[in-house]
Amino acid sequence: MQQYWSALQQTPVFEPGLLLLLTLLLARYAALPLQYQPWPLLRLLAERVAAKVNKPSDSPAQQRLAGMLALLVVILPLLTLAWTFRHLSEWPAGFDALLLYLCLDHRYFSSQVATVAGSLQRQQLQLAKDQLQPLLRRDCGQLSATGLAKAGIEVLAQRQLRHFAAVLFWFLVGGAIAALLWRLMVELQQAWSGKISQQRVFGSAVGKVGRLMLWPVCWLQGALVALLFRFAPSVRYFRASQQAGLPAAERWYLSAWSAGLQRNLAGPMMYQGVKIRRDRIGPEQAPALADLLLAQVMEQQILRAQWLLCCSSVALILLYQWPHSL
């Protein structure tokens, strides 16, 4: 038995693989409370940087240049600091696990959507709007119960994509520093959102980098959701969503969720009092409260599937790296 345990410890994937699985469990069942997370401080920093350098009187070219420089000013020092600490650490794998844990904050958004669903069940529409508004850039003041349910579903889908799937993808592809880079991009996209007219040009650089980094994740995560629930309708809704006003990868991801729920998503939205008209993705029927509750179940099933995929991958790599001399 001691011989097998020693061989297991000697396989290169054992320690990082075990830490990865433990970190995913910890992020799911013991998430860091919002007041202890570093991301609100980063958003505050980004907003103050934008207030200093994003001048409405500047030309579009100057605003675009200011946005690119602001992106570098915020990103490079933080990545350099993280890289330095990692290389000074006596346990780099543990430091990577800590960074991953900090980046995986999707649990907070799931609990907030559950709170909104509870308010809708009690028919407290105004309270549900107030609870949902901090999670969205769109205007929630005029939303009906149907609109709130749809917005809650999209928060679940988008936050799981950005705060879990993309973080995990970039961690597996490029390590903890790549996951941190993506997580920083998410916060900067929120702070310098192109959906706000004053920041549309200034935030174009962070928007382009963010969309580029999210592109492979949308296709992969959309394929997983489609395979778990309804693949053929997902493809059909995607082909019919050309006028939805979204990039193809994001349309594919929302099509998979729409097929799983058999309800339409996307559609017209209000930003700063201006209605943006977009075609809906999916069938004719709009979501209701019951569909928001179903979306919460779907989210948990997707997380379990991703956990099982990670476990299977670690096990297969362990088998591949197992010493042949035993």
Side-chain angles (χ1 to χ4, degrees):
M1 188 65 180
Q2 183 66 31
Q3 182 184 14
Y4 287 106
W5 175 247
S6 300
L8 184 64
Q9 289 180 307
Q10 290 172 7
T11 54
V13 79
F14 173 70
E15 184 183 48
L18 181 61
L19 285 173
L20 169 64
L21 298 179
L22 291 176
T23 303
L24 294 179
L25 284 177
L26 193 63
R28 173 64 183 86
Y29 295 106
L32 195 65
L34 180 64
Q35 59 267 31
Y36 298 113
Q37 294 177 8
W39 312 117
L41 290 176
L42 177 64
R43 284 196 296 273
L44 180 61
L45 171 65
E47 289 168 0
R48 292 191 174 181
V49 168
K52 289 285 187 182
V53 301
N54 184 22
K55 305 297 183 182
S57 57
D58 290 343
S59 67
Q62 289 175 313
Q63 291 181 355
R64 195 173 294 109
L65 177 61
M68 289 188 289
L69 293 176
L71 173 62
L72 295 176
V73 165
V74 174
I75 290 288
L76 289 182
L78 293 176
L79 290 182
T80 303
L81 187 64
W83 181 86
T84 302
F85 275 118
R86 186 187 187 280
H87 282 267
L88 292 176
S89 174
E90 295 183 359
W91 190 23
F95 184 80
D96 290 347
L98 175 62
L99 277 184
L100 179 62
Y101 175 69
L102 292 176
C103 292
L104 292 171
D105 62 338
H106 62 288
R107 179 61 183 156
Y108 165 75
F109 301 101
S110 301
S111 62
Q112 286 297 103
V113 172
T115 302
V116 172
S119 299
L120 287 175
Q121 285 180 306
R122 296 187 297 270
Q123 297 185 348
Q124 298 173 317
L125 291 185
Q126 187 56 51
L127 178 59
K129 293 175 186 178
D130 295 339
Q131 292 167 339
L132 192 60
Q133 185 63 74
L135 307 180
L136 293 166
R137 280 292 185 181
R138 74 185 75 168
D139 300 337
C140 294
Q142 303 301 318
L143 291 179
S144 62
T146 296
L148 288 169
K150 179 185 287 190
I153 292 169
E154 292 179 3
V155 167
L156 276 179
Q158 296 291 352
R159 297 292 183 166
Q160 186 187 63
L161 176 71
R162 287 167 167 78
H163 293 254
F164 184 84
V167 171
L168 182 58
F169 173 83
W170 285 108
F171 181 83
L172 296 174
V173 169
I177 301 300
L180 177 62
L181 170 61
W182 164 250
R183 196 60 189 78
L184 294 173
M185 296 301 301
V186 171
E187 294 304 323
L188 293 182
Q189 281 182 300
Q190 291 291 319
W192 304 338
S193 176
K195 297 172 182 176
I196 306 301
S197 58
Q198 297 92 331
Q199 297 176 340
R200 189 161 296 135
V201 178
F202 177 79
S204 59
V206 68
K208 289 176 181 177
V209 176
R211 284 192 296 272
L212 180 63
M213 294 184 71
L214 191 63
W215 182 83
V217 187
C218 282
W219 289 108
L220 292 173
Q221 184 76 351
L224 175 63
V225 175
L227 289 170
L228 284 175
F229 302 104
R230 296 180 176 89
F231 188 82
S234 300
V235 175
R236 186 167 67 251
Y237 297 152
F238 171 68
R239 289 176 176 173
S241 65
Q242 303 294 329
Q243 304 302 318
L246 295 170
E250 294 186 34
R251 288 192 286 110
W252 165 243
Y253 179 66
L254 287 178
S255 296
W257 268 84
S258 179
L261 294 166
Q262 284 297 286
R263 298 293 185 269
N264 65 59
L265 297 176
M269 299 176 186
M270 294 284 291
Y271 291 99
Q272 296 182 301
V274 178
K275 188 172 185 178
I276 299 177
R277 298 188 178 276
R278 294 174 177 171
D279 286 355
R280 294 177 176 85
I281 296 176
E284 292 295 328
Q285 191 169 356
L289 173 60
D291 302 301
L292 177 57
L293 300 177
L294 177 59
Q296 295 176 34
V297 176
M298 279 181 58
E299 184 208 21
Q300 297 307 312
Q301 291 175 337
I302 295 167
L303 288 173
R304 292 189 194 102
Q306 291 169 319
W307 161 256
L308 289 175
L309 284 173
C310 287
C311 289
S312 301
S313 300
V314 171
L316 288 173
I317 298 173
L318 275 174
L319 288 175
Y320 177 78
Q321 294 179 346
W322 193 264
H324 296 290
S325 57
L326 293 179

